[in-house]
Amino acid sequence: MSFDHLIIRDVEGERRIDTGSLPLRVGTGSNCGLRLPGPGGGPVVLIDLLDGAPFVQPVGRDSSMQVNGEPLLASRRLIDTDQLEFFGSRISVSVTDDRLVLEVHLEDSAYVTQPPELADSATEEDETIAPTAFQRASKTQAMVEEPHRSRLKTIAGIGLAILLLVSYLLFSAKSIQFEVNPPDPDSVEIAGGWFRLPLGDRILLRSGEYTVNVRKQGYYDISQAFNVGDEPSMTIELELRRLPGRLSIETLPPVDAIVSVDNRMIGKAPYGPIELQPGEHSVSVQADRYLPFSDIIDMAGLGREEILSVQLVPRWSNVAISSEPAGAAIFSGNTQVGETPATLELLEGTHQISVVRDGFKAWDGTVVARPNIDQTLPLIRLQPANATLQVNSIPRGANITVDGRYRGQSPISLALSPGIDYVIGLSKAGYGSSSRRVRLNAAASDSITVDLSARTGRLTVNVSPASATVYVDGRARGSGSTTLNLSSAPHRIEVKKSGYESWTRTVTPRPGYPQTVVATLRSLQDIERSKIEVTQKTSSGQVMRRIEPGTFMMGASRSEQGRRANEVLVPVTISRPYLIGVREVSNREFAQFRELHDSGSDIHPSMAADTNPVARVTWADAAEYCNWLSAIEGLSPAYEEKFGEWLVIRPLSNGYRLPTEAEWVWAIRYSGSQGAAKFAWGKEMPPKSNSGNFAGRSAMDLVPTILPRYDDGFASTAPTGKFPPSAIGIYDGSGNVAEWVNDFYTVPTPGMKTPIVDPLGPENGRSYVIRGSSWRHASDTELRISFRDYGSAPRSDVGFRIARTLD
């Protein structure tokens, strides 16, 4: 049994109500969809659908509603021929396979005035009206009146009536004052009633129900209902909420910089605009070779766009170094950084600088670099050296230092001053270090040769597959797992096998500390398989994620809190890879197909934003969009129109389409793992901060139920991809908008053990499956990823994402 709408027949005629607008309130109040005669503020009942079947539910404990002559004390299912009675009014229920009809009868209502009844003895003669004889004007006698008396009486009567009416209205009206914060709204409009009299900052209203609408530039509109009762005066406080602001961040100079807002990295500068709620936000910018920037900004909001220009401060100092004679090598530590004269960029800190030229004594000094402060060292006058020392080592290529200052690699000739004790240091990776103390006489020339002993460490290489060969520095050293004693210098370790990709690492053995490395080779076949692109783009730039086949379980266990009866456990196998959109289709993308579509700007302006997901589309709208996109790329259509209805072409073509329910579950709920997630953020309520776009505090003016401890900053939909993606890079699987999928709705048969391969759902039906939660959802049931909904009419919180079968 499935209904698209219900029909109400009453004295006003016949009207239809979409099932998406249920529940229907029935009662005597002005807020009831089906209003019956009776005492104002009387009891209310709700008529709704549960799993496709109609039911009626009382609100409160009043038992004035009767069903088939018995008081309605709890929810009960409605069946054909049921009679609802309410203060004498009767509602006849008619239930068929495709529609629900409510026919209202007011004949017996105690609150409807009946026409007068004629006495039984009345006859046609009794009601005969006698004609009046015609008289000529000349024979009639004019009536003489006293005009001045009649006019005065009339004026006095009218004045008295007006005075009485005004007095009545004034004495019966109540004084209402609206306190709007911030003050001076652009407009304050009151709907309801017919009498209102402004008096200064107050307004006189009669008792009844009203709605006040307040608008102010830069703030969300307020529409608040209020009731004027018996109190002589009342003050209504209205708090306007500022609209979000938009912030763009740029750097001076324009360099690659990482921007973070509220301790969350958002991208590279220049970045924006990003929508931020009014109030304080932390902004930080980090760039190589620049000091980090961090500040607190106060966003005014009000829909304004602001630009934050960050002046980055260099972390280096420009240090000018010159020598006499010029052409001397400049060393910073063990690295040659220039040749005199030169200007060096030295990062903040202390640097050991040496200036060296053959035939001259080396100059050693310390330079303290301060960020963005340039400095020039005094001219360095190098003194001629009249003593030289030739330093050799075994093996060659040892690093040579003089009194701890780097001078180069052996063999090297050092220019030294006579009569001074020097410590000559020698070191080489994998060998021991050594030092020599020397003192030269004037005009002396001497040499030293130092033999550095090798230092070894143990290295074990475990390989897979076991038949692979181990190479050290290009020479084969064994097959399979191998243990080696190597000098404590960097060595290139390679593991090779035909048909496999080689494994390479550089390892430095440490004497006394055995090391083990594991080399697992990948077959070339696996490598070729991994080269398949994980993502592809459509012609309009939409990114789609490749999903590999798998076997999994759809539905939820009976023990899961919030589970609905339609979430039956069903084993499923998807046998071939497919593509699914990483984002929901946006308004901008849908507008390329249907330019004038409006996703709900009357509900909230941001719902029509270009980057927000499209909503208020039917399943057929989504199918037509997919066919349009397929035609652009020359792909086969996935849907065909028959007798005015769009249907899936079976077997599935290579064109764009909606994901099947099984594909949606495999990509969104499992996200590349073997375990099914309960919520997008974990296993427990409430949602963690920044988990997605749900019905949080920002949506309290638009939805009936919210998550009181959660605020995502969006009153309605958010830009697609605004919140962190799943483990495989898919955005908004939970929250933002719920999504149409390819299948007709049905409740699976419980107890299946054998996996269903590539299920497509029923071949026909009246409703389609809707998966995922939306910006309007706040309950445990709806926020679970296993939640299944269905429908056929467009909704402000339902959109779609695209999919495609791979060839």
Side-chain angles (χ1 to χ4, degrees):
M1 186 181 298
S2 177
F3 306 106
D4 292 334
H5 55 265
L6 66 84
I7 299 173
I8 297 176
R9 295 172 182 161
D10 55 16
V11 294
E12 298 179 359
E14 181 175 297
R15 52 196 171 109
R16 301 190 176 195
I17 297 178
D18 291 336
T19 56
S21 300
L22 296 180
L24 174 68
R25 295 174 64 90
V26 181
T28 61
S30 60
N31 62 342
C32 295
L34 178 52
R35 188 173 182 181
L36 300 174
V44 176
V45 298
L46 301 178
I47 295 179
D48 202 350
L49 298 178
L50 178 63
D51 293 333
F55 73 95
V56 61
Q57 174 182 341
V59 178
R61 300 182 177 180
D62 194 296
S63 59
S64 299
M65 172 66 80
Q66 295 187 343
V67 180
N68 301 329
E70 297 181 358
L72 179 63
L73 301 177
S75 300
R76 74 182 297 277
R77 183 174 176 179
L78 290 175
I79 60 175
D80 193 38
T81 71
D82 273 350
Q83 296 288 322
L84 309 182
E85 299 179 16
F86 200 59
F87 294 107
S89 300
R90 286 187 302 106
I91 303 175
S92 299
V93 180
S94 175
V95 180
T96 62
D97 289 339
D98 60 348
R99 65 178 182 173
L100 170 64
V101 180
L102 304 178
E103 191 158 350
V104 181
H105 306 276
L106 306 178
E107 297 86 351
D108 299 327
S109 173
Y111 289 86
V112 176
T113 303
Q114 303 296 329
E117 298 182 0
L118 297 176
D120 294 339
S121 59
T123 64
E124 292 187 3
E125 286 186 357
D126 293 333
E127 296 188 4
T128 301
I129 299 175
T132 301
F134 174 74
Q135 294 182 343
R136 294 185 181 274
S138 58
K139 295 182 179 180
T140 60
Q141 184 176 359
M143 180 179 294
V144 180
E145 298 181 353
E146 297 182 7
H148 62 282
R149 289 186 182 178
S150 176
R151 187 174 296 111
L152 288 175
K153 289 181 179 179
T154 302
I155 293 173
I158 293 174
L160 180 60
I162 293 174
L163 180 61
L164 291 174
L165 177 61
V166 171
S167 300
Y168 170 74
L169 292 176
L170 290 176
F171 283 105
S172 63
K174 316 300 179 184
S175 175
I176 310 298
Q177 182 181 32
F178 297 102
E179 289 189 358
V180 181
N181 185 32
D184 302 323
D186 296 336
S187 67
V188 177
E189 299 176 353
I190 300 174
W194 60 271
F195 173 76
R196 56 182 64 89
L197 179 62
L199 293 176
D201 62 347
R202 289 182 169 270
I203 186 170
L204 295 182
L205 298 175
R206 302 195 65 213
S207 298
E209 295 178 351
Y210 298 86
T211 301
V212 59
N213 299 295
V214 182
R215 293 180 176 84
K216 184 176 177 66
Q217 180 70 28
Y219 294 81
Y220 289 108
D221 294 344
I222 285 183
S223 181
Q224 180 172 319
F226 65 97
N227 186 70
V228 177
D230 296 331
E231 300 85 356
S233 66
M234 62 185 297
T235 299
I236 298 174
E237 297 181 354
L238 301 170
E239 187 76 24
L240 294 174
R241 292 176 53 240
R242 287 180 288 172
L243 290 170
R246 295 165 64 84
L247 178 67
S248 296
I249 302 171
E250 62 184 19
T251 62
L252 298 174
V255 297
D256 284 341
I258 301 299
V259 179
S260 297
V261 175
D262 295 332
N263 300 318
R264 182 169 64 92
M265 188 177 71
I266 60 174
K268 289 186 176 182
Y271 188 89
I274 178 176
E275 189 175 85
L276 294 176
Q277 292 298 315
E280 292 187 344
H281 299 270
S282 64
V283 177
S284 63
V285 179
Q286 292 185 329
D288 289 341
R289 296 174 54 79
Y290 290 87
L291 293 176
F293 169 87
S294 181
D295 197 7
I296 300 294
I297 63 170
D298 191 355
M299 289 292 296
L302 303 174
R304 300 173 185 167
E305 186 160 333
E306 302 180 32
I307 298 177
L308 176 63
S309 295
V310 178
Q311 181 68 54
L312 296 176
V313 178
R315 288 184 58 200
W316 69 85
S317 170
N318 292 315
V319 180
I321 303 175
S322 59
S323 69
E324 187 182 272
I330 304 173
F331 288 89
S332 177
N334 293 348
T335 305
Q336 182 173 345
V337 293
E339 189 174 284
T340 62
T343 299
L344 308 179
E345 290 184 354
L346 300 180
L347 291 177
E348 63 173 328
T350 301
H351 300 265
Q352 303 298 325
I353 302 297
S354 297
V355 179
V356 180
R357 179 168 174 165
D358 289 343
F360 293 84
K361 293 184 292 184
W363 178 90
D364 297 312
T366 299
V367 176
V368 178
R370 293 180 174 83
N372 205 30
I373 299 177
D374 297 342
Q375 55 182 304
T376 301
L377 298 186
L379 177 65
I380 299 172
R381 290 184 170 86
L382 300 176
Q383 301 299 318
N386 54 5
T388 59
L389 178 66
Q390 179 69 31
V391 181
N392 301 308
S393 68
I394 301 173
R396 297 163 61 94
N399 294 323
I400 308 300
T401 62
V402 177
D403 291 339
R405 297 284 187 142
Y406 180 77
R407 291 290 186 264
Q409 291 187 331
S410 64
I412 187 173
S413 179
L414 301 176
L416 304 175
S417 297
I420 298 177
D421 291 329
Y422 293 96
V423 176
I424 309 300
L426 299 92
S427 63
K428 183 177 176 65
Y431 294 82
S433 60
S434 183
S435 64
R436 297 289 186 272
R437 187 177 296 273
V438 299
R439 182 187 181 95
L440 300 178
N441 295 322
S445 180
D446 200 354
S447 67
I448 59 174
T449 299
V450 179
D451 188 351
L452 300 176
S453 60
R455 304 176 66 205
T456 63
R458 176 172 292 183
L459 176 67
T460 299
V461 183
N462 292 329
V463 301
S464 176
S467 57
T469 303
V470 178
Y471 294 79
V472 178
D473 298 330
R475 187 164 62 94
R477 300 293 295 270
S479 296
S481 296
T482 304
T483 299
L484 306 164
N485 286 317
L486 302 174
S487 63
S488 57
H491 295 276
R492 179 181 174 84
I493 311 298
E494 293 180 280
V495 180
K496 300 180 180 180
K497 178 177 173 60
S498 178
Y500 289 79
E501 182 183 42
S502 298
W503 180 93
T504 303
R505 292 288 187 277
T506 298
V507 180
T508 301
R510 300 171 60 193
Y513 295 93
Q515 298 181 60
T516 300
V517 295
V518 177
T520 301
L521 305 186
R522 299 174 63 202
S523 69
L524 298 180
Q525 183 179 2
D526 289 342
I527 294 171
E528 289 300 319
R529 188 181 298 116
S530 67
K531 290 181 180 177
I532 298 174
E533 291 188 2
V534 175
T535 61
Q536 296 183 21
K537 284 189 176 182
T538 69
S539 57
S540 58
Q542 296 152 289
V543 179
M544 302 189 72
R545 175 67 156 82
R546 178 187 174 99
I547 306 297
E548 300 300 331
T551 298
F552 56 98
M553 185 71 73
M554 291 177 59
S557 169
R558 290 178 179 270
S559 62
E560 182 171 296
Q561 185 175 358
R563 177 190 183 271
R564 302 181 76 198
N566 62 1
E567 299 170 22
V568 177
L569 289 172
V570 178
V572 169
T573 293
I574 293 180
S575 65
R576 54 186 178 179
Y578 61 96
L579 296 172
I580 190 169
V582 302
R583 299 172 188 252
E584 295 162 334
V585 175
S586 69
N587 284 314
R588 179 189 292 122
E589 291 159 350
F590 194 77
Q592 298 174 15
F593 162 66
R594 188 168 293 167
E595 184 176 2
L596 299 179
H597 178 75
D598 185 353
S599 290
S601 60
D602 57 324
I603 297 175
H604 193 267
S606 67
M607 293 195 65
D610 284 348
T611 57
N612 286 34
V614 68
R616 277 186 173 171
V617 290
T618 64
W619 186 93
D621 293 332
E624 290 185 70
Y625 173 84
C626 292
N627 273 7
W628 169 80
L629 191 57
S630 298
I632 292 176
E633 299 186 17
L635 301 174
S636 301
Y639 303 94
E640 61 182 348
E641 188 176 16
K642 289 185 176 180
F643 307 108
E645 182 179 1
W646 287 94
L647 300 173
V648 180
I649 297 176
R650 303 188 185 210
L652 298 178
S653 71
N654 65 349
Y656 292 103
R657 55 178 174 79
L658 298 174
T660 67
E661 185 177 13
E663 290 172 341
W664 190 95
V665 171
W666 183 228
I668 305 297
R669 190 180 183 198
Y670 284 82
S671 293
S673 69
Q674 294 302 311
K678 181 177 181 181
F679 301 105
W681 59 88
K683 297 181 179 180
E684 302 293 336
M685 287 284 283
K688 298 177 182 177
S689 176
N690 202 43
S691 294
N693 180 20
F694 310 118
R697 292 195 300 270
S698 293
M700 64 186 304
D701 293 336
L702 300 179
V703 299
T705 305
I706 66 167
L707 294 157
R709 290 183 292 170
Y710 184 79
D711 191 0
D712 53 45
F714 295 93
S716 60
T717 57
T720 61
K722 183 69 177 178
F723 295 90
S726 69
I728 59 174
I730 296 179
Y731 295 89
D732 299 321
S734 288
N736 226 4
V737 291
E739 301 170 17
W740 293 115
V741 295
N742 212 44
D743 306 31
F744 279 112
Y745 175 76
T746 188
V747 178
T749 302
M752 285 185 283
K753 303 297 183 183
T754 303
I756 304 174
V757 179
D758 299 327
L760 299 179
E763 293 191 8
N764 53 62
R766 293 185 174 275
S767 300
Y768 301 91
V769 177
I770 300 172
R771 292 303 301 247
S773 54
S774 78
W775 65 272
R776 296 184 61 87
H777 290 154
S779 71
D780 292 27
T781 294
E782 298 160 333
L783 296 184
R784 293 174 310 110
I785 309 181
S786 61
F787 173 65
R788 296 182 76 222
D789 202 356
Y790 62 93
S792 58
R795 284 174 20 192
S796 62
D797 67 333
V798 175
F800 67 98
R801 72 177 71 230
I802 57 176
R804 188 164 77 84
T805 303
L806 284 171
D807 297 330

